[in-house]
Amino acid sequence: MIAVILAKKILSLFLIMVMGAALVKTKVLKAQDSRSISVITLYLVMPCVIISSFQVDYTEELFNGLMLSLLAAVLLHVILIALTEILGRIFHWDPVEKASAIYSNAGNLIIPIVTALLGKEWIIYTSAFISVQLILLWSHGKMTLCGEKNIDFKKILTNVNMISIFVGILLFVCRVQLPAVLQDSIDTVGSMVGPAAMIVTGMLIGNMDFKKLASYRRLWLMAAVRLIAYPLLNIVVLKFSGLAAMVPEGQTILLITLLATITPSASTITQMAQVYGKDADYASAINVVTTLLCIVTMPLMVMLY
């Protein structure tokens, strides 16, 4: 049943992506205009979502669940980073391929998906995965993409989403509830996260030369790694590690972690590639193809879990 609901939600997001593509195809907007939506999503919508997710009553059970989701997120990222390093050397993957294989688009997609599947009260468990991935994206991910040797701690700590996580945790631990009017405003803005992300993806698709996709020889291989091979590995780890037995509702909490890992490749990799002068077209192609194919792969992986 959860897989069916997930399929419907992904189809809904896919239709929003089609609307974004239509804006570009009909020349109402240019693909470059999607940058403005990305900025709004990054600096306004996502912080609202993160802070809102921590606006729940503190309980020992909830805290333990958060620790479980944090442990699972760290474990899966460590496994994927190590495995990608090995496979990258064997098959000569380039930096864009390595980063796209490891990092998922959970930041944009996981919250609307979890809300639709399980309800708003489960969103808080997405914050653990998002925080782990944000830290690694701006450290390991940036180093992988740019060939750097040093971690930019300032970039990590001043990231608006990391600041939002710290604020959310502080409010949660101190048991501070925001005024109802402010909370309603934050919730309303936060509800834009899924549609905004899919409109941006659709606008990029609307400007894409699909004939050029054929020039990327390993594009479909990377899509298979991102959507099938790594998710299957994650399922095995989560199902047979015994982690689910650590807390009540452990299996559902780990389902949320799994959902975060089986989303398409991170759109942040495309943005980083643009900013740092790497192969942004290839990164965008991987993001677009995995976004299209996840309509089928994500429900299948949830059914297997």
Side-chain angles (χ1 to χ4, degrees):
M1 183 178 69
I2 290 179
V4 172
I5 297 173
L6 175 60
K8 290 181 179 179
K9 183 60 181 179
I10 294 175
L11 180 58
S12 173
L13 292 172
F14 173 77
L15 292 176
I16 296 174
M17 184 175 67
V18 172
M19 296 176 192
L23 289 173
V24 173
K25 287 295 185 182
T26 56
K27 302 188 185 303
V28 174
L29 293 173
K30 298 178 181 178
Q32 294 85 346
D33 295 332
S34 65
R35 179 177 174 81
S36 297
I37 302 176
S38 295
V39 171
I40 293 172
T41 302
L42 177 64
Y43 289 98
L44 180 61
V45 178
M46 279 301 298
C48 286
V49 169
I50 292 169
I51 291 174
S52 179
S53 70
F54 283 99
Q55 286 293 289
V56 294
D57 294 331
Y58 179 95
T59 64
E60 193 70 26
E61 182 178 322
L62 187 59
F63 179 80
N64 291 337
L66 272 173
M67 292 301 100
L68 172 63
S69 58
L70 183 66
L71 174 62
V74 171
L75 175 63
L76 293 183
H77 275 99
V78 168
I79 291 173
L80 294 187
I81 288 173
L83 181 59
T84 300
E85 189 62 32
I86 295 170
L87 294 177
R89 291 182 179 181
I90 294 174
F91 298 106
H92 307 291
W93 289 353
D94 63 31
V96 168
E97 290 170 335
K98 290 181 180 179
S100 297
I102 296 168
Y103 297 107
S104 70
N105 208 19
N108 291 324
L109 296 182
I110 188 59
I111 290 173
I113 287 174
V114 169
T115 303
L117 289 182
L118 303 172
K120 182 184 173 183
E121 65 273 16
W122 292 92
I123 293 177
I124 189 170
Y125 298 112
T126 68
S127 300
F129 187 93
I130 291 172
S131 60
V132 170
Q133 179 154 282
L134 277 173
I135 293 171
L136 290 173
L137 262 173
W138 289 103
S139 53
H140 171 267
K142 185 171 178 287
M143 291 167 65
T144 298
L145 203 60
C146 303
E148 297 176 347
K149 301 296 183 182
N150 299 317
I151 299 176
D152 189 350
F153 287 103
K154 182 180 179 181
K155 188 74 173 179
I156 297 171
L157 295 176
T158 58
N159 182 287
V160 65
N161 291 311
M162 285 304 303
I163 294 173
S164 301
I165 289 171
F166 295 144
V167 171
I169 292 174
L170 182 63
L171 294 174
F172 174 67
V173 173
C174 296
R175 308 184 188 189
V176 175
Q177 292 292 315
L178 297 174
V181 175
L182 178 57
Q183 183 62 49
D184 183 61
S185 298
I186 290 175
D187 287 344
T188 301
V189 174
S191 65
M192 297 165 54
V193 62
M198 299 313 291
I199 287 172
V200 169
T201 301
M203 292 175 71
L204 293 174
I205 291 174
N207 192 52
M208 180 165 286
D209 180 5
F210 283 91
K211 293 181 179 178
K212 190 176 181 180
L213 294 180
S215 65
Y216 299 121
R217 294 179 298 168
R218 292 202 292 250
L219 174 60
W220 302 104
L221 170 63
M222 300 314 302
V225 169
R226 172 67 255 163
L227 297 177
I228 299 175
Y230 280 8
L232 286 174
L233 174 62
N234 292 335
I235 290 174
V236 171
V237 172
L238 294 178
K239 287 295 287 186
F240 301 106
S241 62
L243 291 174
M246 294 176 64
V247 301
E249 304 290 351
Q251 188 170 356
T252 304
I253 293 172
L254 293 184
L255 170 62
I256 294 171
T257 303
L258 176 66
L259 285 168
T261 66
I262 63 178
T263 56
S265 64
S267 56
T268 305
I269 299 300
T270 300
Q271 296 163 358
M272 283 183 173
Q274 289 174 326
V275 171
Y276 298 114
K278 303 303 176 180
D279 195 347
D281 287 344
Y282 188 24
S284 178
I286 295 174
N287 174 249
V288 167
V289 168
T290 53
T291 299
L292 293 173
L293 295 179
C294 81
I295 298 170
V296 176
T297 60
M298 286 186 68
L300 288 176
M301 293 301 159
V302 169
M303 275 166 63
L304 285 173
Y305 176 79

